[in-house]
Amino acid sequence: MGPAVVDSGAAPPAVATARLVRSAWRLRWRRRLTDFHAAWVDPLIGPARRLPDAVIIGAQKSGTTSLYHHLTAHPGVVASRTKEVHFFDVNFRRGLGWYRYHFPPSRTQPSEGVWLESSPYYLFHPCVPQRMRERLPGARLIVMLRDPVSRAYSHYWHERSRGREPLSFADALAAEAARLDGAEADLAAGRVRYSYNHQRYSYFARGLYARQIRRWLNHFPAEQFLFVDSGVFFSQPETEIARITDFLGLERRTGLPLPRANVGRYDADIDPDTAARLRAAYAEHDEELAHLIGRRFSWMEN
């Protein structure tokens, strides 16, 4: 994919390892606690907890965290206990009771509120559309899309900064086909419950938006989707926020914060040749996306 990007400033291996160990222990105990509640507490209180009315399903590194934090500041929105519950992708085996536990008891919340969850891996995971259709058939689905070249580079540095990616960006792109070989088919067929490589190393593949959205449209009608252009959202926030709140049936509010959350930091700019090759590789898929949903996105006009 062109010359390798110069890599510098990555966390020393010992520091990265210590971070991963701490994160793994926190995750382990949090899962044990939620599993306990799902098995023993939720059978008693689960029916009193609503499932979400709306879900931000992706795409990763497209501004979904900023959108989520803005929406959850709205008094009419009831948020999940954690932003990314990951029920329909990596935690599906834990059961619907486990999922319900991630939302507050209904009696403590306004009855007319919109209950919201956001897990941006949902858009890319092959099993999620059917799983969600069977359990949340009326959900309103927000899809936030970013220039796929910028998204891929941001995704790379997200993994790099957490010590999970040892390769340069160009080398990671070159290795992606081998890393993902068979992963989507195995997930879709139920041969595996989880694929680390599919979630972590899908830099190029996640930018093939039309393929993913076509799969979702096989399970949900078009009117249940709202497509948000990340570039327009951050350049014209008032217009886009009004459109999103209308879609969710919320009262328009002014003065709510619009934080730029989870902003990626890179040690080097993307190599121009690599960027140009990615742009060319995405061109046909971008046109397919525009035809599929009947609109063009800001990055297509560059």
Side-chain angles (χ1 to χ4, degrees), residues 123-238:
L123 180 65
F124 187 60
H125 195 289
C127 298
V128 172
Q130 181 174 343
R131 291 172 177 175
M132 193 177 291
R133 175 64 181 178
E134 292 172 354
R135 290 154 184 85
L136 303 178
R140 284 160 284 186
L141 306 172
I142 299 176
V143 184
M144 196 169 191
L145 301 179
R146 179 183 181 182
D147 169 10
V149 177
S150 299
R151 196 224 66 81
Y153 197 55
S154 180
H155 182 178
Y156 166 79
W157 279 106
H158 177 82
E159 301 301 333
R160 180 80 175 179
S161 67
R162 285 157 176 76
R164 295 189 289 244
E165 177 56 86
L167 303 179
S168 70
F169 182 52
D171 288 344
L173 290 173
E176 183 170 325
R179 281 173 157 181
L180 301 189
D181 185 32
E184 182 168 305
D186 287 343
L187 286 166
R191 288 188 290 269
V192 298
R193 284 200 302 244
Y194 174 69
S195 170
Y196 182 90
N197 285 8
H198 187 265
Q199 183 176 19
R200 300 299 176 194
Y201 299 143
S202 43
Y203 309 122
F204 176 77
R206 291 209 196 199
L208 304 176
Y209 298 134
R211 292 182 182 179
Q212 299 161 60
I213 292 167
R214 193 178 300 280
R215 182 164 58 207
W216 277 86
L217 287 169
N218 288 334
H219 295 275
F220 286 89
E223 57 267 22
Q224 287 181 228
F225 292 87
L226 181 71
F227 296 98
V228 180
D229 185 326
S230 177
V232 176
F233 178 80
F234 288 110
S235 65
Q236 304 174 34
E238 295 82 4

Side-chain angles (χ1 to χ4, degrees), residues 1 26-27 62 141 157 161 183 232 249 255 258 281-282:
M1 273 282 190
R26 285 195 296 267
L27 181 60
S62 296
L141 306 172
W157 279 106
S161 67
V232 176
L258 180 58
Y282 280 127

Side-chain angles (χ1 to χ4, degrees), residues 75-95:
V77 172
V78 179
S80 54
R81 295 181 185 274
T82 57
K83 173 187 174 274
E84 297 185 15
V85 180
H86 283 291
F87 170 63
F88 290 101
D89 45 34
V90 300
N91 290 309
F92 190 67
R93 66 182 179 86
R94 298 177 185 275

